[in-house]
Amino acid sequence: MSDHHGPSDAVAWRRWAFAAVPIAGLLELAAHVVQTHSVAPRGDWEAARAYVAAHAAPDDLVAFAPWWADPIGRETFGPAIATVQREARADETRFPRALEVAIRGEHLPELATWRKAEEQRFGRVTVTTWDNPAPVHVLEDLVSLVDPARVRVSRVDGAREAECPASHAAVQSGGLGFGPAVPSERFACPGGGFVATSVVADLDYRPHRCIYAPAPGGGGSVRLHFLDVQAGQALVGHHAIYVEAERDRKGAPVTLTFRAGGVVIGSVTHHDGDGWKAFEFDTSDLTGQRVELVAEISAPSGDRRQYCFEAVTR
């Protein structure tokens, strides 16, 4: 039997070709109906906001699921609820409870092991209250200590250590490649460089509030002397490089070293591609003491080393 398609096949194809246009239109219309009917009305979001505003404690996490719905949540809930501390969190472990505002039946994977305490539906928006089974107790948060009363900053070049005084200037920001915004309150180093609290986007474009301390390179380093820090069993944190400077994976590694009393507590190196990477150092020998904790940031090259870290004692 021959597989040859004759003239009659071509005629039949042309006869029905006209149907492709209306069929495509019907498919597009069906997709539009599905999309519009799956969108949560603004009234549902606002009802959820009123509930969260009445029930969320200051130390609760308020989060939005799925992750791509976060901009909608921020817009509707506003900065009083969608705070920088919640939106640009280091992780979820430090919150005793979470109010998860979700659409389409989604949940944040980070809360998968938490205990569901309550669920409220507001049309297409669901607010689920989760209890953290093992909330972390934080003694000191280094990000909150970036203040002239609690930290001294210096630039080190060889044997020379020069102070980076606290300063107030205009906020600096820019387009793609500029890096995180430079806040008005910062420690400005002689010869360039600075240290400040800012928000850095990681490789997944998720924001994190951290201590922005770009590595100077050229054999130099930046030191932060945190004064009168309450030590605990461990020093735990995360570090990253601004996504636009890290995603090409061509930059020099950046090393963060912690010391107390001249003794190294621990050192960790961030390589391009690591993203928002966690670290933990044992400080049980210092438990109960108040110490001067020194953090030092260095890199072989300072080219686009837009580095940021956070850490807590616990």
Side-chain angles (χ1 to χ4, degrees), residues 23-47:
I23 289 173
L26 289 172
L27 291 173
E28 185 175 348
L29 178 61
H32 174 73
V33 170
V34 171
Q35 290 174 347
T36 55
H37 280 73
S38 63
V39 173
R42 185 170 183 84
D44 294 353
W45 280 99
E46 291 175 346

Side-chain angles (χ1 to χ4, degrees), residues 11-31:
V11 172
W13 183 88
R14 285 195 298 270
R15 183 181 301 164
W16 292 102
F18 73 91
V21 174
I23 289 173
L26 289 172
L27 291 173
E28 185 175 348
L29 178 61

